Amino acid sequence: MSVIAATRLQFKKSAFAEEVVKHLVAENEIRDLFSAATSLETTSHIIAAVVGSEAPELLEVSPMSDLLMFNSLFTCLRVLFVKQVQGTDLSQGEQQIVSLANRFAKKLTSNENSIHLQGNIELVIKLYNQLQTLAKAEVRSHRSMC
């Protein structure tokens, strides 16, 4: 990849992260996720970085919508699921992405969706529940070691 192409990709990821922030700020029920140490901006940059490497075509879509946000979070969730299953702990920002994916899946559940989108929504909810179960088991195993 040339320097110009790499720089162009970085600008696209930065613009995408800004769109993510704007979209999430408008969501009242999501603000409570960002009262902890990791900021909305940090989380949005993690989302943009994963989307940029896994599904760069999503960086081109504009304007930001609930559907684009869901597809971006779904892309991130698949990567984070593999990371967690392989035994690597998720950072706080990554955990927020998992929660965001679940919230957007539930939000889109009430809409009329295509069969493909409905399948993705169900998969996000299933992966979220599996990650929560895995996290609880991890906490229990650490307690029993002490």
Side-chain angles (χ1 to χ4, degrees):
M1 183 184 295
S2 73
V3 173
I4 294 171
T7 304
R8 186 177 301 130
L9 179 61
Q10 286 304 109
F11 277 116
K12 287 179 184 178
K13 288 192 286 188
S14 178
F16 186 81
E18 285 182 34
E19 289 297 316
V20 169
V21 168
K22 289 177 189 173
H23 192 75
L24 292 178
V25 164
E27 299 283 331
N28 291 330
E29 64 275 357
I30 291 180
R31 286 193 194 125
D32 64 317
L33 284 177
F34 298 101
S35 60
T38 303
S39 70
L40 175 58
E41 289 77 15
T42 300
T43 302
S44 71
H45 285 286
I46 295 169
I47 294 168
V50 173
V51 169
S53 66
E54 297 295 321
E57 67 278 2
L58 292 177
L59 297 176
E60 303 290 332
V61 180
S62 185
M64 181 61 69
S65 65
D66 283 347
L67 182 59
L68 177 57
M69 191 74 224
F70 172 77
N71 287 330
S72 301
L73 292 168
F74 181 50
T75 299
C76 293
L77 180 64
R78 292 185 308 227
V79 171
L80 297 175
F81 183 82
V82 171
K83 181 179 178 180
Q84 180 75 39
V85 169
Q86 290 177 340
T88 307
D89 290 335
L90 299 181
S91 70
Q92 188 176 22
E94 292 168 336
Q95 291 171 0
Q96 288 173 330
I97 292 169
V98 170
S99 295
L100 284 170
N102 185 56
R103 287 186 182 202
F104 271 89
K106 288 181 178 179
K107 181 177 182 179
L108 291 177
T109 299
S110 60
N111 299 344
E112 292 294 320
N113 299 312
S114 68
I115 293 172
H116 175 72
L117 180 58
Q118 192 58 40
N120 287 348
I121 289 169
E122 291 170 7
L123 182 57
V124 165
I125 293 169
K126 181 179 178 180
L127 291 175
Y128 174 81
N129 289 332
Q130 288 177 348
L131 283 173
Q132 295 305 310
T133 302
L134 190 62
K136 288 176 186 174
E138 185 72 22
V139 168
R140 275 190 234 114
S141 73
H142 286 296
R143 282 186 191 159
S144 64
M145 289 181 175
C146 297

